[in-house]
Amino acid sequence: MSGREVRLLERELARADLARVESPIVAEELIKEGFPPDRVVTASPGVDVERFAPGARPDRLRVAFVGVLSLWKGVDVLVRLARKLAPAGEVVVVGGPVCPWSRRLVSEAPLRQHPGDIPSLLASSHALVLPSATDGFGLVVLEAMAAGAVPFVSPEVGAAAIVRRLDPRLVQPRSEFAEVV
């Protein structure tokens, strides 16, 4: 964000009666920055369950990743996981690298680009991984759950609050993510 955008956002928040956020992580950040806690409402988004529905899965383990292949999205963790899964399983991605570092890392990794759309990838995947360093929510986590894919996320993903209720083992720190997942 530019300085101008930050100032505009700060003015907007100062005038707001209420701030609706999608995750406890974002609520905590707002409160930490001085927004009154009694004016923060956490409401997770919903998912179109007609569009995101379970489908046929291959015999070979398929793990999905949706997002830009960048450091803040955990591309380094994703590459480690792909190497650990190969050849018994595969990591299939929708998204591409965003900088020379991530392009180099991805070029040397056993990642497969998905030729179709996100709903078809999730419908055909056993799991979804989102090892982000920061993520306000991560709607793809709910989409994966609707499609029947097991979500594995880092604690920094806003949707971790929901995933943790399914099973705390589905939320793993980035430092151990590839090894545990």
Side-chain angles (χ1 to χ4, degrees):
M1 292 180 85
S2 69
R4 180 179 180 279
E5 291 169 322
V6 168
R7 288 187 298 279
L8 287 171
L9 179 59
E10 287 172 343
R11 275 196 302 250
E12 185 177 335
L13 284 171
R15 290 191 304 253
D17 293 326
L18 197 64
R20 179 201 175 273
V21 298
E22 295 183 339
S23 73
I25 289 174
V26 176
E28 290 170 16
E29 288 177 9
L30 270 179
I31 293 166
K32 181 181 167 190
E33 293 300 320
F35 198 81
D38 60 329
R39 291 174 35 206
V40 178
V41 174
T42 304
S44 300
V47 173
D48 180 350
V49 294
E50 298 295 322
R51 188 168 173 231
F52 293 94
R57 288 177 168 69
D59 291 336
R60 184 174 177 224
L61 177 64
R62 176 176 291 161
V63 175
F65 173 85
V66 176
V68 296
L69 296 170
S70 66
L71 183 59
W72 70 275
K73 280 289 198 179
V75 67
D76 53 330
V77 176
L78 188 67
V79 167
R80 277 200 325 266
L81 177 64
R83 288 184 177 137
K84 287 191 169 300
L85 290 178
E90 64 179 346
V91 175
V92 182
V93 302
V94 171
V98 296
C99 67
W101 175 81
S102 58
R103 277 191 288 281
R104 181 187 53 76
L105 195 60
V106 168
S107 72
E108 301 167 359
L111 300 174
R112 186 169 71 78
Q113 278 288 326
H114 183 66
D117 60 1
I118 294 168
S120 68
L121 171 61
L122 296 177
S124 65
S125 295
H126 299 92
L128 167 91
V129 292
L130 192 56
S132 298
T134 179
D135 209 315
F137 187 78
L139 183 57
V140 70
V141 173
L142 297 184
E143 294 167 343
M145 290 167 54
V150 177
F152 290 91
V153 301
S154 59
E156 295 79 12
V157 172
I162 293 169
V163 173
R164 194 175 280 113
R165 284 187 279 178
L166 294 175
D167 190 324
R169 296 172 295 178
L170 300 175
V171 180
Q172 292 295 326
R174 290 168 38 86
S175 60
E176 303 168 17
F177 197 91
E179 291 72 24
V180 174
V181 170

